[in-house]
Amino acid sequence: MNETLKKAVILYATEDLKKVMEFLGSLSKPTLISTLLDLLTVYFNDKNSSKLRELTTLWLCGFEPSFEKLGYNGYRMNFATGKIEHCEVKPQNTENPKKKLNGGGSFNDYTPERFGQDLKENPTVLCSGFANGKLIYIFEFKFECLKDRLQSLLNKRFPNLKRSSGEYLRSASFSFKDKDYKECSNLRLVYLRENWEEFGEYLSKELINYFKRQKNEKH
């Protein structure tokens, strides 16, 4: 983190808005640009918070963020049905080519009860992939596409889907595979970075092959 950004962060946390504005106003335009870029780089690659990656995914897909602590990540009006459509966002980020993006995500601390609710609500799921904070793709599909995968994981953790109080499936993970959601009829590739091939070292072979087919079909 550069010294200018460090000072701005400390001022914001410890001083009133007037002093923060005076400091920012004293900076040259190139310094302000550099500081903002450093800030975006830090938080798009933050391992402890996916908030900016989540917001980017939501906004590009026409959803607004939901700030409720419990519930889904976003919502939008479905004008065809006149109802509110909820969504779950599963953003992945990698800075290491050895840890490739696989079109996946996970539901943490998952339970059979939450699974039943999700099946009933059938929210939209948005899976996005970032490499070094740069968005590469967004997949969109309905939760029902994950039914078999998640049910299988829950059955392994909770026989007959029965659990004791305080028990959870810590990570109900899925990826871009035939038995997860790849063959789902309502799967859409909502966004694909124009120069995605330049990030090929960060992508699984399955994603690369799929993106190539999508590109060929458009031509």
Side-chain angles (χ1 to χ4, degrees), residues 43-134:
Y43 287 103
F44 264 105
N45 288 292
D46 190 348
K47 293 179 173 61
N48 298 310
S49 173
S50 61
K51 195 61 182 180
L52 287 184
R53 299 189 291 272
E54 182 181 301
L55 286 172
T56 300
T57 305
L58 283 168
W59 289 333
L60 283 174
C61 295
F63 286 86
E64 289 300 319
S66 174
F67 295 105
E68 296 179 13
K69 188 172 182 180
L70 298 176
Y72 299 114
N73 300 127
Y75 66 93
R76 69 183 177 190
M77 174 61 72
N78 186 322
F79 292 103
T81 64
K83 297 180 179 179
I84 296 294
E85 178 183 355
H86 296 283
C87 75
E88 279 283 293
V89 184
K90 303 299 176 184
Q92 281 186 324
N93 183 57
T94 182
E95 300 175 81
N96 185 349
K98 292 183 179 180
K99 295 182 178 180
K100 299 184 185 299
L101 299 171
N102 64 1
S106 70
F107 292 83
N108 298 326
D109 295 336
Y110 210 51
T111 65
E113 293 86 352
R114 178 58 193 264
F115 177 63
Q117 177 188 331
D118 288 339
L119 274 180
K120 180 180 178 181
E121 297 291 336
N122 199 24
T124 295
V125 180
L126 304 174
C127 285
S128 53
F130 294 76
N132 291 310
K134 300 296 184 180

Side-chain angles (χ1 to χ4, degrees), residues 135-152:
L135 179 61
I136 311 302
Y137 62 82
I138 303 175
F139 287 114
E140 177 180 310
F141 54 90
K142 300 302 287 185
F143 178 85
E144 63 190 6
C145 298
L146 296 172
K147 178 182 177 180
D148 291 344
R149 168 64 178 173
L150 296 181
Q151 193 164 40
S152 174

